[in-house]
Amino acid sequence: MPETLSPREVFTKLLDGIAAGHYRDLAGLYAEDAVVETVFEPVGPRRTQGRAALEERFAQVAACTPVELTPANVVIRETDDPEVIVAEWDYQVHHRPTGKTFESANIQVLRVRDGVIVRSRDFHDHLALIAATGALPQLVAALGGK
């Protein structure tokens, strides 16, 4: 019987996969009925449910992401619940089309059961990504602004 990964190990695999740009492999880290909430998502769904929906979402990111993400300052905090960790880190972001580099803060609260993520609350600085890539006018328009 294979050894089950700890919540810390699952998060590390997730972060390593993102840094390597292996988005299509990430859905396998989630349970069939996983729930992911991206709390600060300015446009689009803030809740994704199920591995199939996550596979689709990661495929979209893989097809069109203009950034390279390098994790830095990673801190993983264990809680009194052995299934739950809180991870804090920064991304050193390189926006390939413009050559801009900047930092973006992140926090995730993960619940990992039997070696897979069953629930994730993600707090990413989406606005920093949008502003730094020059897409702020499109965001304002999408939100109904002028």
Side-chain angles (χ1 to χ4, degrees), residues 12-89:
T12 300
K13 285 183 76 114
L14 177 66
L15 202 57
D16 289 348
I18 291 169
H22 296 159
Y23 295 100
R24 295 182 191 277
D25 299 334
L26 299 178
L29 297 172
Y30 292 83
E32 283 293 326
D33 59 350
V35 174
V36 175
E37 294 176 279
T38 49
V39 178
F40 295 145
E41 178 68 49
V43 179
R46 289 186 174 174
R47 180 183 169 99
T48 305
Q49 187 158 358
R51 184 183 293 152
L54 288 163
E55 284 175 352
E56 184 178 317
R57 186 171 179 172
F58 286 131
Q60 290 170 350
V61 170
C64 67
T65 189
V67 296
E68 295 169 15
L69 303 171
T70 303
N73 309 316
V74 179
V75 176
I76 302 171
R77 301 182 193 288
E78 297 185 5
T79 70
D80 58 355
D81 183 333
E83 292 185 343
V84 177
I85 60 165
V86 177
E88 302 174 63
W89 74 100

Side-chain angles (χ1 to χ4, degrees), residues 57-121:
R57 186 171 179 172
F58 286 131
Q60 290 170 350
V61 170
C64 67
T65 189
V67 296
E68 295 169 15
L69 303 171
T70 303
N73 309 316
V74 179
V75 176
I76 302 171
R77 301 182 193 288
E78 297 185 5
T79 70
D80 58 355
D81 183 333
E83 292 185 343
V84 177
I85 60 165
V86 177
E88 302 174 63
W89 74 100
D90 297 312
Y91 277 130
Q92 303 299 319
V93 183
H94 173 73
H95 185 250
R96 290 186 296 268
T98 64
K100 290 182 183 178
T101 58
F102 56 96
E103 196 168 275
S104 176
N106 305 272
I107 295 175
Q108 277 187 310
V109 181
L110 294 176
R111 178 172 294 279
V112 176
R113 186 174 299 134
D114 298 325
V116 291
I117 301 165
V118 295
R119 187 165 187 92
S120 180
R121 286 184 50 88

Side-chain angles (χ1 to χ4, degrees), residues 128-143:
L129 294 169
I130 291 165
T133 60
L136 195 52
Q138 293 89 336
L139 173 63
V140 171
L143 294 174

